[in-house]
Amino acid sequence: MRAWLPVLIAIAVIALESTDLFGADRTSAPLRWLYEHLLGPVGDQRWKLIHHYIRKTGHFTGYGIIGLTWLRAWWMTAPRWGFWRCSLMAVLGTVLIASSDEFHQTFLPNRTGLFSDVVLDTCGAVVLQLLAFLAFRLLQPRTA
């Protein structure tokens, strides 16, 4: 249970964010308010682009973190598989969740389900797992 609880929490967060409450039409105003309070006023056209990049960065980062929760769970459950097999299973889990999320969004009036978002989400998972691999390699004690 300890291994898989973070995965379940991450899936629950995605399920919440996949609702119409978190569509671009509803996140624009609060994010713009925050942006303008931190960085100053921005024009409407420029804001549309910035908002788009904020949302896509959220996809990449959020699903990257989800990929790490999957990796951790597989590593704790089946350490004998080794890093790469656990990583592959983590990426497959991320693809499954991302695909389900985008499919669900096709049924919501203010959301769109995009294959490109699944690709972006998967890239986030792969990149963060590669960074985790590099961190493990760098932190691993060296033998003579």
Side-chain angles (χ1 to χ4, degrees):
M1 183 66 177
R2 194 181 74 154
W4 291 95
L5 185 60
V7 175
L8 295 175
I9 291 169
I11 291 170
V13 168
I14 290 299
L16 176 66
E17 290 179 347
S18 186
T19 64
D20 62 343
L21 295 175
F22 288 91
D25 60 329
R26 301 236 175 126
T27 61
S28 181
L31 288 175
R32 186 172 186 170
W33 178 87
L34 180 62
Y35 181 91
E36 290 184 337
H37 276 79
L38 294 174
L39 301 171
V42 63
D44 290 343
Q45 268 320 102
R46 182 99 172 121
W47 173 248
K48 285 181 183 178
L49 183 63
I50 292 168
H51 185 234
H52 173 78
Y53 284 127
I54 289 171
R55 290 181 61 84
K56 296 309 172 185
T57 301
H59 266 271
F60 185 87
T61 306
Y63 277 93
I65 293 168
I66 288 171
L68 290 178
T69 65
W70 280 97
L71 177 61
R72 176 186 174 274
W74 283 113
W75 187 259
M76 289 176 72
T77 304
R80 68 187 177 286
W81 283 3
F83 182 86
W84 294 112
R85 191 173 295 160
C86 290
S87 181
L88 175 63
M89 293 301 292
V91 170
L92 291 175
T94 303
V95 168
L96 176 68
I97 297 305
S99 299
S100 300
D101 175 39
E102 294 303 316
F103 178 71
H104 170 255
Q105 289 180 19
T106 63
F107 297 101
L108 300 174
N110 67 335
R111 302 297 299 262
T112 56
L114 300 172
F115 178 73
S116 60
D117 280 350
V118 176
V119 173
L120 181 63
D121 300 341
T122 303
C123 288
V126 169
V127 167
L128 262 66
Q129 287 182 44
L130 287 173
L131 291 174
F133 174 75
L134 290 174
F136 289 141
R137 291 290 294 204
L138 291 173
L139 297 174
Q140 194 174 45
R142 302 212 180 229
T143 57

